[in-house]
Each structure stands twice: as C-alpha cells, then as structure tokens.
Amino acid sequence: MAISLTSEQALALAPDTSVASAGQKLATGQSWQGLGRNERAAWGECKGSALYQVRVDLADLSSKCSCPSRKFPCKHAVGLLLLAAAERLPAGVPPAWVEEWLSRRTAASERKAKREAPGTQAPAPVDPEAQSRRAADRHERVRQGVEALSLWMEDLVRQGFAGLEAETAAWNTQAARLVDAQAPGLAAQVRQLAVLPGSSPHWPRTMLERLGRLALATEGWRKLEQLPPLLAADLRALVGIPLREEDVIARGERLTDRWVVIAQEVEDSERVRTQRTYLLGTTQGRTALLLQFAAGPGAHFTERFLPGTAFDAELVFWPSAAPQRAKLLERQGEVHPWTGALPSLTPEGLCQRFAQELSQQPFHEQTAALLGQVIPVLDAEGRVWLQDAAGKALRAGACDTWRLLALSGGHPLDVFVEWDGEETRPLSARVQERLYALGGTLQ
Amino acid sequence: MSDLDALTRLATLGTARAPEPGDLEGIAAQAFRALEGLSPEKRLLLAAGVRAVAQAAGHPLPQRAPPEGAASPDTLDVCPPRVSALLTELLVSHDTEVLREGFGRMAQARRRLPPELLPRVLSLQEPSLRRAAEPVLGERGRWLSRLNPAWRSFGITSPTHLSEMERLWTEGTLEERCTVLAATRLADPARARAWLEGTFPQEKAEHRARFLACFEQELSAEDEPLLELGRKDRSSSVRDVARGLLAQLPGSAFSRRMTERARAVLLWEPHSGLNIQFPARWDAEAERDGLDKPPPGTGQHAHWLIRLLACVPPSSWEAWFSASPERLVAAAGRTDEGVALSEGWAQALRLEASPAWAAALLSFWPRLDAKVLEPERAQSLSMTVFEHLPLEERSSRTLRILRGQDALPSLERALALTPAPWPVTLGRAWLQALREQDTPSPRALALVGSLRHAALALPFECLEAASESFELTSPLFQGNPALQRFQQTVSQRRILHQELTP
C-alpha cells in the first residue's frame, strides 16, 4: 500500500522555501507529460529548460530527477510529490527509466543489507595500543576541562549572580575552553547559560538550577569509574564524547516493533541541519529519537521518515540508563499509513515516567510521549493547558497553539509532547487517525 | 530579594559575602546536610542540582476545573481532501481570486473548512475574502474565532454597533470614514445623509467629493438638498460629483433645467435632421449647472452639448423626435458636432441602459475618419458605452469583437470589461482564438493579455478544454509565465468544480 501523502508533507520535504514555492508552481498537469503512478512509484516528465525525467520512490519518498539542480529534492520532484498528494496522477505502468531506477535502488539496499549484516566483513584492523593511548589522552584533557569548569562555577556562586547581567564575554571564553578540552556537550550548556541573566524575573533561580545540574555532572565525572556502566555512558554523552556507531550497534539495546513516525522537526544552523524524528512503538509503547545530520542548510537527509506512517524495524538505542536516542538498524517490509491505536500516557503517567527515568539517570533533561485524550484549554492569561478528563493539567509551551486549539475544538485529542518536568512542548496532534504537526517544519 | 528561596538568595549575594544559607526546607535541607564537609560553593551548587532534579521528577500537577464550551457539532461536512490540499496551496501562494471562488463554491456545496486550515483563514485580512470565508467556517471556526481577540470581528462584514460606526465616522481615517459612510448608506440612507450634512462644510474639497460619491447607493429625492449644496460647491470636482448624482434624480430641479435647455438646443426636423441652436446667452444658473468654460482642446459648443446630453436619458430623444437611435446617431453624424453629440449620449447611458443606443453608437464611431475622431478617444468613448451595458449584452458584444464582427472597444479591453463568468460560447470562442495564434500579432497580444482574466472568467464547462496542453511552438507561448499561471488557475478551478458540484 502506497503512502497517502498530504500537500503539507510534500512541501515539508523541500529543502528550502524557494524550492517549495517553485515546486508549487510546477504542481499543475500542464508542465508535465507522461505522468503516472503505481503502488511503488510516481513519475513524469517535466518541461523545464529541457524535458526532465522525475521519479519518486513512494516506499521512502526518495526521488531522482535528471535536472542539473544541486538542491535535493529539486523543484520538479517537489512538484511531482504535490501532484501525487493531490491525487492528480493517473495509475499506470512505469516506463523503462523508472523501472531501471527502482531496480537499482532495490539492488543497492540489498547490497547495503549484506554489507551491514553481522559477521560478513572483518572489522578494520586497529592498533589497540594506539587506540587506548588516544583514549587516555582525551580523557585527561576532558578531566582538566571539567575541573576548570567546576572551579569557574564555584567562582560564580562565590561572587554572586548580582553582578552578572552585563557580562557576556566570560561565557564564550569558558565555552571555548571546554571546546578545547574536547567537551563540546558541556560547552553547549555553558553557552545556553549566557542568555539567562536578566531574561526573566526568576532568572537567578533558573541559573542556579542549571549550574546545580551541571555541578552534578562534573561531580559525577570525577567518579566515572564507580558509576554503573549505563549511567557512565550517559555522562559521556552529556560531556560530548561521541560513541562510534559500531559501538552503539555492538552495545546498545535492540528493540523490534512496528514503529509509527509520530513527530518530526528540522533545525537549521549555520553549518548543520538537524532532523529530529520521534518514533513510537505501537506494541511496546517505547519512544525513540532518531537524529539525522546534514552539512549545510538545504542539504538532504539520507533517510526519510514521513509523519503518520509506520514500518516494522529493529532499532538500536544508544547505551543509556534512560534510553532515548536510537538508530534504525533495518526496516522490514513497507512503509504504510498508520490508522490503528497508539499507546499513550495520562498527564500523571507522563510525570511518573519522567520521575522514574530521572531516578535512573539524573542528567536526563526531557522525555517524550503521546498524551492520550487531553483537551487543550486556553486560560485567562493566554496560556494553554493540556488537561485530562480528571482535570489534571500540564502547561503547554511554545507550539502552533491556534492549530492545536482548532484541531481540538474543545474536545479531547492525542498530543505528542516533550516534557521537561515543568512544561510540555507539543510536537504533533492526532485526530481521527490523522497526524498533524504542531511545530517544527510542517507549519 | 526577600521572595527568593534561601539557596537562590545565597547564590545571588555570593558565598563570599554570606557563607550560610539560613533556613532551608525539604530536599534542599536534606541535601545540604548530606554534603557537610564540602566547600560552601560546592555544597550550594550540588544541593541546588539535587533540588532541581527532584523538582523535575516531582512536579505537582495542577488540578483544573473541567473546560467549558466545546465547539458544537458541525452540521456541514468538511470539504474533500483534494479541495483542502488546494486551499492550502492557495493560502500559501496568497491567490486571492481563486481562494474567493473556492470559498464560494464550498458555501454552495454546503461544505466547511478542515480545522487545521482555520487559523490561517481566520487571519486573512482582505475584507472580500473574509466575507467569502464566513459561511465555510463551520461551528469549529466560529468557536475558534471567539478565542482570539483579533478574530472576534470575523463574520461581521461591517461594524455592527452603531456607536462604533459613528466613532469611525468622526475619528477614523479617510478610508475608514468612506467605508462606514458607504455601509451606513446601504443600511440607513437617512442617517448617512445626516452625518455628512453635519460636517460637509468643514471637510476638505477632495474628501467632500469622495463622501458625496458614496450617495450613489440608495439615491433618492431626499438627497437633493445635500446634492444642491455640492452643486454650488467652490470645488469643481465636488460640483462634478453632485451634478452627476442630480442628473440621476429625474425629478430634481437640476435635471429639469438641463432637460429643458437640451430640448431647446437640439431640434429635429424630419427632413433635414438634427439642428443645433444655442441661445444668445444662458440664464444665470447655467454656469453653475456645468455649462461653463470648456477644458482645453474642447470647443465651447461641444462642451455644452456633452454636458447637456449627459443629463437626459437617451430614450427621451426617441420619444420626442419619434426616431430610432440609429437614425438619430446618423443624423448627428451629419452635423458639425457629431462627436460631441455621440459623447453626450454615451454618457447618458449611465442614466439608463439601452442596448439599441449602444449598438448605434458603437457602429457609428468606427465609420468616422481618424481626423474627426482620434482612435484613442474612440476607444475611451466605446468603453464608456460598454461599461453601461447590461452584462449579457456586454458579453455578446465581446463575442462579436472576438469574431471580428465589431471593432470597438479593442479586443483586450472588451474582454477585460466582460466580468466572470463568461457565457460558454464566449469561453469556447476565446479558447479557440488563443490556440490559433502563432505569431505576435496585435490580436495575439490582446489574447495573451487577457489570460489572467480569462483564467478566472471561463465558465466551468470550458475548463476541461482550457486545461488541455498547448502544443505551441510560438515564442508567444513558450515558457510564457502568464500561460503557466493561466493553466495552473484553470486546473485549480477545475478541481473546485469537480469536487464541489452540489
């Protein structure tokens, strides 16, 4: 069964807004000839400066076009996706240039599967001695960075926050030191502190809480060897020491389920484009966060996940005392739209789960889950609450509030949220088996 | 600083100044005790960290009262998915015209907007779009619009409260004042008149003219005193507006005076035709009635004739002279002032539509020599006539022009002046004519120039034919963005038609 795609979803696949709008202009039958689709693919020839052959694999929405555009998917592919979304493509038999491409793709994914199958390939030769020397070097540098951070934080509270407001350079200097010490995770946390002074009436308390949690981490780092292995792995991740994917695959927890793509957002920074995709396991109720990175704005992600669809797959989770980040090992079977039930939590249940996770992993910043049958309510101050039938309510933070309210109409609906212990961040809502984005890129 | 908790107070002051936190409570106190022996800074930081984690884990959930007032169940069905996909596209590209048509078709088909599109639609600013969207909001949309102060006015096409209208009239900008005056004019003509009478002398000349122009709606004999004020205004633009309106009141003193004068000037002798005879001098009122000095380039007599004839319904001449429009127009052509007479009659069509007069005038002007009637003036005269033709008559005239059976106004202008929806015959003929073009002739350019208007005006019966691909090699069409936009609009309208036929 082929994916049922909405125009919004098709537009969301465009690498930037100019491609999205150019794609829209091409979303009329007139620019095309030989349009068609079957269960697997959609295709057509688009009249541009030349006649371009455009094809889309509906299994994962990968596309290929014969045009010279460096953007991907190009406007022709977006146009074709929009036509597919609007059900304006006649059913047909794919021409040879589509068939060839599809069979090449099938062959490539089989080769990849074979290559990645365990035991088929010898691991690259490593020099264990050099490796452990490098690890020891790095550990020492991080240790020095963490010690310096610790002293610096103690200085902050010794002198008091009262004089902090005018400072800015100090944060950057400290963050740069942590980068030099190969602790980029801590550096990022310090950079986030820089905006706090003066940002709200309660900023000193927020600052103290952040510093306090950071102090727990630096204190933990001193006792890394004594920590349970999973918690130590969490601490390494927090500090910013990456785990190689082969180590994740070798050591991480594996879980097979039917996964629904429940929310997705893309963040663009100067150099890196990050896609955060949340999967929800339909039978076991586990949530998994898939992170994908692409260099530079407009770059594309190698794997595509379409919100609202489901697939069977084995995931492997990053080693953690409260596993969240995961990697897709292998998709089994086809991607298909998901209309069935989904495991959900009550507001109370979400708080309990987060408490449980924090007791395992105190550095955990947030958890994500589907809240079942909550009503978004606007209070007199203009804040939105997600409230269950018993009246238990969670505050909803930044999202497309009006869309959330419109989708609900004052009636209960399922909302997928991130929860940090204080506020939820609604990412998507599900009404009558359809999923709607509430933030991120699907605006 | 007294409302700070003890740990935060300590951190704000600095442990160098205040080494002890004072009274601590709960988990902070426990942690602080457990960390005894560490430096004050470390104790403070770690205790704060422990408390932060404990609070994130133990967040008490507020208990709120059950929400009230969910949206009522909708009686209209939501629009089909293809329509909602199309609306999303149109909202993104801000295609106002097709959007307006889409809302209209949905209303006819008794469908409503899907909830996810409501915030975008409720945020639309353009008044005509808001009016069009109102019937398709559904219960959900009305419920939502009450939650957002910026949306509450949705569906109220004019401010409902009289006091608000009056406030806008006294305090608003020129545009707002025109809008409320015109709206009040429709609902309560006497009130609108009273408003304007109250401020008329203090308004600027340009504003007086704009406000007075609003009185064309619901014009009645009761407006005559105010219009008389305008007729005597010191500004000529106000006088023009006032005279134009007075002429539309057959019983007005102005109208009667102009009719009498016109009858005295234009004489009919069945054998020799029309005869023009001006009095030696006009009475004192005449100049104020518009029989003043002509604008540059117009003769004195021509100016007077145009002004006089513009105030007399053309059918009156048929009755007085017992002659047909063709005969009268032909007779005018034999006088020295044929063009002026024809212009007067053309303007008089504003008072009463008359296809017979329009036909006579439109076939008269092309016969004149370019030295007698410059082509540009012929165009503008023919457009005056065209604008005052009933719609049906106008589209059949346009069809004649398209077929080359008529010359005035030009094809491009005739098409532009024929509003949507075009009759099927016109739509088919236009499409066929367009497809026949392959060189950039004036006719081809006129047809290309009308692409946008045609995309919106073609009747649904023609859309299928219009969406067939153009196999044209001419540089006129190749890669022409206007043609691409035409085809996009046609295919969008086609979806609306297919999905929303009631």
Side-chain angles (χ1 to χ4, degrees), chain A residues 267-273 294-298:
Chain A
E267 271 171 1
D268 269 321
S269 76
E270 266 174 57
R271 266 171 275 159
V272 182
R273 204 156 189 251

Short mmCIF file of all heavy atoms in Angstrom, two decimals, chain A residues 267-273 294-298:
data_model
loop_
_atom_site.label_atom_id
_atom_site.label_comp_id
_atom_site.label_asym_id
_atom_site.label_seq_id
_atom_site.Cartn_x
_atom_site.Cartn_y
_atom_site.Cartn_z
N GLU A 267 15.97 21.47 12.28
CA GLU A 267 16.60 22.70 12.77
C GLU A 267 17.74 23.04 11.83
O GLU A 267 18.57 22.18 11.54
CB GLU A 267 17.18 22.47 14.16
CG GLU A 267 16.22 22.74 15.29
CD GLU A 267 16.81 22.28 16.62
OE1 GLU A 267 17.95 21.79 16.67
OE2 GLU A 267 16.09 22.41 17.60
N ASP A 268 17.79 24.29 11.41
CA ASP A 268 18.89 24.73 10.56
C ASP A 268 19.82 25.59 11.37
O ASP A 268 19.39 26.54 12.00
CB ASP A 268 18.35 25.57 9.39
CG ASP A 268 18.05 24.69 8.20
OD1 ASP A 268 18.83 23.76 7.96
OD2 ASP A 268 17.02 24.92 7.54
N SER A 269 21.09 25.24 11.39
CA SER A 269 22.04 26.18 11.95
C SER A 269 23.00 26.53 10.82
O SER A 269 22.83 26.07 9.70
CB SER A 269 22.78 25.55 13.13
OG SER A 269 23.75 24.65 12.64
N GLU A 270 23.99 27.33 11.12
CA GLU A 270 24.87 27.81 10.06
C GLU A 270 25.49 26.66 9.27
O GLU A 270 25.53 26.68 8.06
CB GLU A 270 26.00 28.64 10.67
CG GLU A 270 25.68 30.11 10.69
CD GLU A 270 26.75 30.86 11.44
OE1 GLU A 270 27.92 30.74 11.04
OE2 GLU A 270 26.42 31.55 12.42
N ARG A 271 25.96 25.67 10.00
CA ARG A 271 26.71 24.64 9.31
C ARG A 271 25.96 23.31 9.19
O ARG A 271 26.17 22.56 8.26
CB ARG A 271 28.06 24.42 9.99
CG ARG A 271 29.16 25.24 9.36
CD ARG A 271 30.42 25.18 10.16
NE ARG A 271 30.41 26.16 11.23
CZ ARG A 271 31.17 26.09 12.30
NH1 ARG A 271 31.97 25.08 12.47
NH2 ARG A 271 31.13 27.04 13.21
N VAL A 272 25.09 23.06 10.16
CA VAL A 272 24.50 21.73 10.20
C VAL A 272 22.98 21.82 10.22
O VAL A 272 22.40 22.69 10.86
CB VAL A 272 24.98 20.96 11.45
CG1 VAL A 272 24.41 19.56 11.46
CG2 VAL A 272 26.48 20.92 11.49
N ARG A 273 22.38 20.91 9.50
CA ARG A 273 20.94 20.78 9.50
C ARG A 273 20.63 19.52 10.31
O ARG A 273 21.19 18.47 10.04
CB ARG A 273 20.51 20.60 8.06
CG ARG A 273 19.14 20.98 7.77
CD ARG A 273 19.00 21.31 6.29
NE ARG A 273 17.68 21.86 6.16
CZ ARG A 273 16.67 21.25 5.57
NH1 ARG A 273 16.86 20.09 4.98
NH2 ARG A 273 15.48 21.80 5.53
N ALA A 294 22.88 16.79 8.47
CA ALA A 294 23.33 17.02 7.10
C ALA A 294 24.12 18.31 7.12
O ALA A 294 23.77 19.24 7.85
CB ALA A 294 22.13 17.13 6.16
N ALA A 295 25.18 18.33 6.34
CA ALA A 295 26.05 19.50 6.38
C ALA A 295 25.44 20.62 5.55
O ALA A 295 25.14 20.44 4.39
CB ALA A 295 27.42 19.14 5.85
N GLY A 296 25.24 21.76 6.19
CA GLY A 296 24.83 22.96 5.47
C GLY A 296 23.33 23.04 5.28
O GLY A 296 22.66 22.03 5.12
N PRO A 297 22.79 24.27 5.30
CA PRO A 297 21.36 24.42 5.08
C PRO A 297 21.01 23.94 3.67
O PRO A 297 21.78 24.13 2.73
CB PRO A 297 21.13 25.92 5.22
CG PRO A 297 22.47 26.55 5.19
CD PRO A 297 23.50 25.53 5.47
N GLY A 298 19.88 23.30 3.54
CA GLY A 298 19.46 22.82 2.23
C GLY A 298 19.99 21.43 1.91
O GLY A 298 19.56 20.80 0.96
#
